[in-house]
Each structure stands twice: as C-alpha cells, then as structure tokens.
Amino acid sequence: MKKLAIIISGLLLSSAAHAADSYQSISNLSYAEIDNNDTISVDSTYYFSPKSTLGPYDQFEYINKQSNVFGSYADDDFGDVTAIGGEYFVEDFVVGASYQNADYNSNNELYTLSAGYFFNPDLLAKVRFVDQKDGDNVTFFSLAYNHMLNDTDYVGITVESDDDFDSRSVAAKYFVDLQQGNYLTVEGTFVSLDEADDQWSVETNYYFSKATSVFASYDKEDNYSFGAQHFINKNIGLKVGYGNNADDSDYDAYFANMRFQF
C-alpha cells in the first residue's frame, strides 16, 4: 500500500510539472537601438478566453482560436506608428479588422478587414482586404495548416498570395519537446516578389526550461541576431539581444523587451 501511494504521488507530481500554463493578456514593452535610431514600442493583446502554453511560457498553438483585441504604438527618431484591431471567432468562422496610422512626414493610414473559415481545427483559409489611404488596395489569400506529430510536437505552415499573384510567401514553424524540460523551435519564411529579389529568413529558439531560452536568426541580406530570454516568474520575462550584418560590421542593433503575461 505504501509503495502504491508513492507511485501515485509521483505520477501526480509529474502531471503537475507538465501542466500547461494559461494566459488571457500578453503585453510587451520594447526598446531598440538600430544604427543610432532609437525605437520605443509597446503592444498588448487581450484574449477573451485563456490561451494554454505548449511548455515554454511564450509558446502557444500554431493557429490562434481565441477571440481577441490588440493595440500597439511605436516611436522612433523619424515618426510613430499606432495600430488597433481584433478578431472574433464563432463556430468555424473568424472575422477581423484593424487600423494602422504611420506618421512619417505625412500620415499613411491603413485599414484591414479579414474573414476566415476552419475546414477543421488544423486548417484555416482566410481572405484579407487591405485599404491603403495613399496607395493601392490589395487582397490577400492565405491557408494555414497545423500538423501534429504527437501530443506536443507540430509542424505549422502558412502560404499566402495577393490577388494578382505578384507577392507570394511561405512561412513554416517546427516545435519539438526534447523531453527533460528542453524544447526547440525552428522557423523560416520565404517571400517571392515579381518586382524585387526573393527574400528568406530563419530563426531558432532553444529552451533550457520553460523560462529560459536562447535564440538566433539570419536572413538573405546577411542580417543576423542572437540573444537570450528569461522569465523571472510565469508572468514577467526579459529578452535581450544583439544584431549586425555580416557584410557591414558598422551596422549595430541592440534590443531589449519586457514581456508581461497574465
């Protein structure tokens, strides 16, 4: 009987250790100094139902399914950008709207309307209409798919194109639980434009625990960055990093971010 009690106790402790944390608000306060241009930004998203983590405090399911509202503000040496918006999910449908105002010498307003349909919980088709006050209107079509490899690991992929097929992009993410409290993510994007060179970027995060991780990124233009993130507790995290360019070592970027999750 005593041995049975010890086994049950161990199982309960193990289950508690792997229990997912959940949050309804995620906010960031960021500072970046890029080539002597200082940028301060703040953003926040509130979800109307809890979002569960996949282990690390900052990792969630690939396709969001929670209704939300969000806002952001960024200010640098040349101007500022303000944005607000939200998404509403009902049964298999999702609708969204956003507004952005970029004040750089002259105001550049941008309105976005979107609508999507879930063919199943892991396959979302979406159409997004972008109205630019000082530019052309554009409609984008996208398809997001999440393939679960097991109970935790997944491969997510999103393909998108504009209505003229002048702009095409593919984004993918791989999340894996390495066991023993370690996790790994690998993300990549590829963008093909008719009137510009193709672009690509990759980024990876390695988690020593749910709270502590390191990251690195690289892109086609030889820009790279690396840094670390640590959550002081389950609600507050600090991320710092450095970036540069492999062909132009005079280009320096320093950035820091405080993350608040409740």
Side-chain angles (χ1 to χ4, degrees):
M1 182 65 69
K2 184 177 180 180
K3 290 183 178 180
L4 179 60
I6 292 173
I7 292 173
I8 293 174
S9 177
L11 290 173
L12 290 175
L13 287 173
S14 176
S15 176
H18 290 85
D21 298 281
S22 61
Y23 303 93
Q24 283 193 248
S25 69
I26 300 175
S27 305
N28 294 280
L29 176 61
S30 303
Y31 170 79
E33 194 275 318
I34 304 174
D35 200 20
N36 296 318
N37 179 25
D38 296 323
T39 301
I40 297 176
S41 61
V42 59
D43 67 79
S44 185
T45 302
Y46 177 78
Y47 298 92
F48 291 95
S49 58
K51 284 183 68 67
S52 297
T53 66
L54 298 177
Y57 291 135
D58 66 345
Q59 289 296 318
F60 303 88
E61 62 183 350
Y62 182 70
I63 301 176
N64 175 58
K65 300 180 181 68
Q66 278 79 30
S67 297
N68 62 85
V69 291
F70 62 85
S72 66
Y73 176 78
D75 179 82
D76 64 14
D77 295 341
F78 302 100
D80 57 71
V81 180
T82 304
I84 57 172
E87 292 178 300
Y88 180 68
F89 293 78
V90 54
E91 296 183 353
D92 295 328
F93 295 90
V94 56
V95 293
S98 66
Y99 167 78
Q100 177 180 294
N101 182 8
D103 185 8
Y104 287 92
N105 297 322
S106 62
N107 287 353
N108 186 6
E109 295 180 308
L110 186 148
Y111 301 85
T112 300
L113 295 174
S114 64
Y117 176 76
F118 284 91
F119 292 99
N120 62 55
D122 293 317
L123 183 61
L124 171 64
K126 184 180 287 187
V127 57
R128 181 165 54 96
F129 175 73
V130 180
D131 180 5
Q132 303 179 76
K133 182 178 179 180
D134 297 328
D136 297 331
N137 299 333
V138 184
T139 301
F140 293 92
F141 301 92
S142 66
L143 192 66
Y145 174 63
N146 176 58
H147 177 66
M148 297 300 301
L149 301 174
N150 51 46
D151 291 341
T152 57
D153 307 349
Y154 71 79
V155 174
I157 185 169
T158 301
V159 294
E160 184 177 71
S161 172
D162 66 356
D163 48 0
D164 292 326
F165 210 63
D166 294 330
S167 171
R168 305 158 296 277
S169 67
V170 179
K173 180 176 181 179
Y174 173 54
F175 173 86
V176 56
D177 182 349
L178 299 173
Q179 306 302 316
Q180 307 302 319
N182 305 128
Y183 306 87
L184 176 72
T185 68
V186 180
E187 301 180 61
T189 60
F190 176 80
V191 179
S192 177
L193 303 171
D194 281 353
E195 299 181 0
D197 293 336
D198 295 343
Q199 298 293 321
W200 57 261
S201 63
V202 292
E203 179 178 347
T204 184
N205 292 264
Y206 179 81
Y207 293 83
F208 300 98
S209 68
K210 296 196 300 183
T212 305
S213 61
V214 293
F215 66 88
S217 68
Y218 198 83
D219 67 20
K220 184 183 177 182
E221 302 301 321
D222 296 320
N223 297 308
Y224 64 86
S225 68
F226 57 86
Q229 177 175 253
H230 176 69
F231 278 79
I232 302 168
N233 53 46
K234 64 175 291 185
N235 300 115
I236 301 175
L238 173 63
K239 184 177 185 178
V240 294
Y242 170 77
N244 208 319
N245 185 276
D247 289 334
D248 181 7
S249 59
D250 292 332
Y251 167 86
D252 284 306
Y254 303 91
F255 50 93
N257 180 76
M258 287 290 292
R259 187 177 177 101
F260 305 91
Q261 301 185 169
F262 297 95

